[in-house]
Amino acid sequence: MKQLTALILFFGLVFIASCKQKSEPTKATEEVVRDLPVKVKGEEVSYATDSTNLKGYIAFDENASDKRPGVLIVHEWWGHNDYVRERADMLAELGYTAIAVDMYGDGKQADHPDDAGKFAMSVMTNLPEATARFNAALDLLKAHESVDAEKIAAIGYCFGGSVALTMANSGADLDAVAAFHSGVQLPIMPSSDLKAKVLVCNGADDPFISPESITAFKSAMDSIGASYQYVAYPGVKHSFTSKEADANGEKFELPLAYDADADAKSWASLQELLQEVF
């Protein structure tokens, strides 16, 4: 009888030990899954308004399983190019899902400032179509499987900054908007329709942005009690976030110049804004 009891105790201990050994690798596996490194996936996407076919780019961390905020990025007046896609990838690295939008249609790009100006003007003088193109990208972003549709921001560069600010001023449902080397004399100026927190980062020596337009913009923002920050970097010119600025400036005899310090500072300010609203 004593031998039988001892055998039962022995096999019971073996069984418990084996269960423990089996459970520990499972726990380790779960930790590995949780701690997977960021793996950015970029996808070209096609979408449209009633009148225009559009070509965008969505970037996100495919190793993350949780829903995350979405960010629209509006390109410079050159059009939907590699630069705006790189910014989408950078935002995906930070844990957002980002869509680089197409405001010109068919992914159209300009090779000369004259063409870029014409493309940009065609958008800014046709606000119903501009709004439709912006909203088409917004709807696509919200519908993405990785996105929390209640947490959306928009950013833009140069022409794109003006677009993002204009959409926010028109009442777009955005939590935050950031504009870089962007004009602030807008077709729709700030009013009570503005819902977003706003960040504008410009070069203090940008000749494309007049002191009068800055004063008018700030006055309009102050009049509605908007939550905003306007940053002007001393000695910094237009297109300061783009490493192609110096070459384009020389090629086309324009006052463009990349500024690494202002680029880094403005990107840090953007991250602070997004962390604050999300």
Side-chain angles (χ1 to χ4, degrees):
M1 188 60 143
K2 288 182 179 179
Q3 290 179 340
L4 178 60
T5 302
L7 284 172
I8 291 172
L9 288 172
F10 173 75
F11 284 115
L13 289 172
V14 170
F15 176 75
I16 292 170
S18 66
C19 288
K20 185 177 180 182
Q21 289 173 353
K22 289 178 181 178
S23 65
E24 286 176 352
T26 301
K27 183 178 179 182
T29 301
E30 289 175 353
E31 289 176 354
V32 170
V33 170
R34 271 200 306 272
D35 297 333
L36 284 173
V38 173
K39 184 179 179 182
V40 173
K41 182 177 182 179
E43 298 178 332
E44 293 187 354
V45 290
S46 297
Y47 57 111
T49 67
D50 290 340
S51 61
T52 311
N53 292 320
L54 304 160
K55 295 180 180 179
Y57 174 84
I58 289 181
F60 60 99
D61 176 11
E62 65 177 346
N63 279 344
S65 58
D66 295 339
K67 297 281 189 179
R68 69 216 71 164
V71 183
L72 296 99
I73 314 173
V74 190
H75 52 75
E76 296 179 284
W77 70 340
W78 302 112
H80 180 111
N81 54 19
D82 288 340
Y83 173 77
V84 73
R85 294 188 175 201
E86 289 169 8
R87 291 291 176 178
D89 289 341
M90 290 169 69
L91 283 167
E93 286 276 356
L94 295 175
Y96 304 99
T97 293
I99 181 169
V101 310
D102 174 13
M103 291 301 295
Y104 292 162
D106 293 317
K108 186 165 53 181
Q109 297 181 38
D111 295 323
H112 192 279
D114 289 346
D115 294 327
K118 291 175 183 176
F119 292 163
M121 186 62 66
S122 70
V123 172
M124 299 306 278
T125 56
N126 187 354
L127 285 182
E129 178 60 21
T131 302
R133 293 177 187 180
F134 184 87
N135 286 341
L138 176 59
D139 291 341
L140 189 65
L141 179 65
K142 285 184 174 182
H144 195 270
E145 60 184 4
S146 69
V147 173
D148 181 345
E150 299 300 316
K151 297 179 179 180
I152 303 292
I155 72 173
Y157 296 85
C158 183
F159 155 82
S162 296
V163 169
L165 290 171
T166 298
M167 294 299 108
N169 290 342
S170 69
D173 189 16
L174 301 167
D175 296 293
V177 167
F180 305 88
H181 37 92
S182 166
V184 290
Q185 187 173 336
L186 307 165
I188 300 176
M189 292 297 284
S191 71
S192 58
D193 291 331
L194 176 65
K195 303 179 182 74
K197 287 181 176 289
V198 175
L199 168 69
V200 179
C201 297
N202 282 336
D205 289 4
D206 187 336
F208 296 114
I209 304 169
S210 71
E212 294 79 13
S213 69
I214 297 170
T215 298
F217 175 77
K218 289 181 177 179
S219 296
M221 294 291 276
D222 291 337
S223 71
I224 60 172
S227 177
Y228 79 101
Q229 183 181 14
Y230 187 98
V231 183
Y233 302 107
V236 175
K237 297 180 181 179
H238 192 68
S239 200
F240 64 84
T241 68
S242 173
K243 294 179 181 178
E244 300 295 320
D246 295 293
N248 285 330
E250 183 177 352
K251 181 178 180 180
F252 299 115
E253 297 182 349
L254 291 172
L256 314 177
Y258 175 68
D259 189 290
D261 185 58
D263 182 18
K265 286 178 178 177
S266 62
W267 189 249
S269 293
L270 171 64
Q271 292 180 62
E272 290 173 7
L273 173 67
L274 296 179
Q275 289 167 5
E276 180 184 350
V277 299
F278 297 135

